[in-house]
Amino acid sequence: MDTVKALGRKYRPRVIDEALRRALAAAGAVVIEGARASGKTMTAMHAAGSYAFIDDSEARRLLEIAPRSLLEGTAPRLLDEWQLAPELWNLVRRAVDASVEPGRFILTGSAVPVDDITRHTGAGRFLRLRQRTMSWWEKLDTPPGVVSLAGLFDGNRPSTDLDASELDAMIGNLLRPGFPAMTELTPTQSADRLRGYVGDVARVDIHRIAEVRHEPEVLRQLIVALARSVASEVTFKTLATDLRAVAPAITPETVSTYVGLLQRLFIVEAQQPWTPALRSRARVRTSPKLHLVDPALAAAVLGAGHKQLRGDLRTLGVLFESAVIHDLTVLATAIDGEVRHYRDSYGNEIDAVITLPDGRWGAVEVKLAGAQLPYAVETLNHVLAQIDAQVVGEPAFRLVVTGTGPTLVTDDGTVTAPLAALAP
């Protein structure tokens, strides 16, 4: 569909487009889930033949008197914000059951419904896709990246490019939001919009899916605490301690519930652990790492602008690691990959392990500066030596992603590239 005619805005291609095309060819209905303002509607409209906005007043009236009429239209039929009317789930399911044609419906939503019993009836009929905010490859006004994630799995290796990115440019890229409507804002404008976004989540969005007894300020401060701890295995006990100033009696159990609600709103995403067989007696840690929906949002709630990050390389490094994990997760969707992390009881870590359904995997180390490349390669090789390759196989590639380093292949075969060079 022409999004200019329908919504007045030109569509900007997204990594998820190809995954959506495949899903529509394979299933009767596709559900696109993700945080509010991440671009779900535009992506779905671009692929749809017709649409209905469920939060529109006319659609609400039709839901009362003729709900099946909302399903009528050229396929794929988009039902945007369907979770506002969960009864549509079963209507779509029955419509899919009555047809042998794939690609009948696209459902988009920015929250998991409170009552998800009906969602269990979608087995074999619905495919789900997660739309995240834009990666650097999608949002930056630069030529496409030269290091393809899919290509690395296929054995391709990039040509050498010794031109390193400037630190200031890298910080600017990190602070540029991945929310499509915010990519062209000034840094001050985007920071204001992002803080307003968090305020809306705490005041309005979370109350739409659950009863919350604490004030919005407690939820806002929880998001701030999560921003301080992105890319780490933070505990709910630690987060509860961070909230004691605004909620003296809050418990880790309550914090766990609130984090779960933020996950249902797709504001928080857990990077799950990778648990391979080991050669050593070390035990694999099984705690997930938590990330906010967009690295720029984490920076905004911390009050970390360009000047602050330039003077605080530790915070910059944490946010940069979260940005790399975010982008790898987005890029991996094109090849049905998952991004996990590895840590054992001896303190050995791999920042990102990308796994594919066919068993192939790749190991990624993240370093802020190109000068850290030799140490990163040594560390990555040391950790990989602990993995039992006879069980899980050798990694398809070893990659070091930097903020300001060059693109090259080291003598031992490790690829290094700046985040701005990565592509699907």
Side-chain angles (χ1 to χ4, degrees), residues 84-121:
L84 298 177
E87 63 270 26
L88 284 173
W89 183 269
N90 280 334
L91 293 179
V92 170
R93 176 179 61 84
R94 294 187 187 109
V96 169
D97 285 345
S99 174
V100 296
E101 295 295 324
R104 293 286 309 284
F105 298 98
I106 304 173
L107 283 66
T108 63
S110 53
V112 175
V114 176
D115 179 7
D116 68 350
I117 294 175
T118 57
R119 292 163 56 81
H120 298 166
T121 63

Side-chain angles (χ1 to χ4, degrees), residues 154-176:
D154 290 338
N156 300 333
R157 296 298 179 260
S159 301
T160 298
D161 182 355
L162 297 180
D163 290 336
S165 301
E166 295 292 332
L167 180 63
D168 287 330
M170 187 274 289
I171 295 174
N173 291 342
L174 188 149
L175 293 176
R176 187 175 182 179

Side-chain angles (χ1 to χ4, degrees), residues 333-351:
T333 60
I335 49 178
D336 296 324
E338 293 185 349
V339 178
R340 297 175 175 266
H341 76 93
Y342 169 85
R343 184 168 180 244
D344 65 30
S345 57
Y346 291 168
N348 297 309
E349 294 185 74
I350 303 175
D351 294 324

Side-chain angles (χ1 to χ4, degrees), residues 133-399:
T133 58
M134 302 173 85
S135 64
W136 287 22
W137 185 80
E138 294 167 299
K139 72 182 180 181
L140 299 185
D141 301 318
T142 56
V146 296
V147 181
S148 162
L149 188 61
L152 290 176
F153 273 105
D154 290 338
N156 300 333
R157 296 298 179 260
S159 301
T160 298
D161 182 355
L162 297 180
D163 290 336
S165 301
E166 295 292 332
L167 180 63
D168 287 330
M170 187 274 289
I171 295 174
N173 291 342
L174 188 149
L175 293 176
R176 187 175 182 179
F179 295 96
M182 302 184 198
T183 57
E184 303 304 322
L185 299 177
T186 67
T188 299
Q189 290 171 334
S190 64
D192 288 343
R193 286 276 294 273
L194 290 167
R195 285 190 287 268
Y197 184 98
V198 169
D200 288 343
V201 169
R203 285 192 308 272
V204 180
D205 295 350
I206 205 162
H207 293 280
R208 289 176 176 170
I209 63 171
E211 292 291 332
V212 176
R213 64 186 180 88
H214 282 95
E215 294 296 318
E217 179 60 17
V218 175
L219 296 166
R220 193 189 71 81
Q221 287 295 335
L222 173 58
I223 296 174
V224 173
L226 287 165
R228 283 196 295 266
S229 304
V230 292
S232 69
E233 299 170 78
V234 65
T235 66
F236 297 128
K237 182 178 180 180
T238 298
L239 292 172
T241 300
D242 288 345
L243 295 177
R244 292 283 154 73
V246 291
I250 197 167
T251 65
E253 291 75 20
T254 299
V255 171
S256 173
T257 297
Y258 290 168
V259 171
L261 293 176
L262 291 171
Q263 288 180 288
R264 283 176 55 184
L265 290 168
F266 307 102
I267 302 302
V268 172
E269 182 165 5
Q271 182 189 3
Q272 298 296 337
W274 185 56
T275 55
L278 303 181
R279 291 193 176 99
S280 69
R281 294 184 178 181
R283 297 183 306 277
V284 178
R285 300 299 190 189
T286 57
S287 299
K289 291 184 177 182
L290 299 179
H291 299 266
L292 292 185
V293 61
D294 193 84
L297 184 141
V301 299
L302 291 174
H306 196 113
K307 181 178 179 181
Q308 289 81 5
L309 290 178
R310 220 185 187 291
D312 184 355
L313 295 183
R314 181 183 178 279
T315 298
L316 177 59
V318 170
L319 293 176
F320 178 71
E321 179 178 337
S322 189
V324 173
I325 301 305
H326 170 277
D327 280 24
L328 289 173
T329 304
V330 172
L331 300 178
T333 60
I335 49 178
D336 296 324
E338 293 185 349
V339 178
R340 297 175 175 266
H341 76 93
Y342 169 85
R343 184 168 180 244
D344 65 30
S345 57
Y346 291 168
N348 297 309
E349 294 185 74
I350 303 175
D351 294 324
V353 178
I354 306 169
T355 61
L356 298 187
D358 62 10
R360 288 180 294 166
W361 60 283
V364 183
E365 182 76 7
V366 180
K367 291 298 178 186
L368 185 62
Q372 297 173 291
L373 175 59
Y375 174 73
V377 172
E378 180 182 352
T379 299
L380 189 56
N381 287 333
H382 171 74
V383 179
L384 290 175
Q386 317 304 313
I387 309 298
D388 192 341
Q390 291 186 340
V391 177
V392 299
E394 295 288 346
F397 62 87
R398 301 185 304 278
L399 172 66

Side-chain angles (χ1 to χ4, degrees), residues 53-66:
F53 295 145
I54 306 306
D55 57 356
D56 181 76
S57 58
E58 180 64 27
R60 302 301 294 179
R61 284 194 292 270
L62 287 173
L63 277 169
E64 295 176 0
I65 59 176

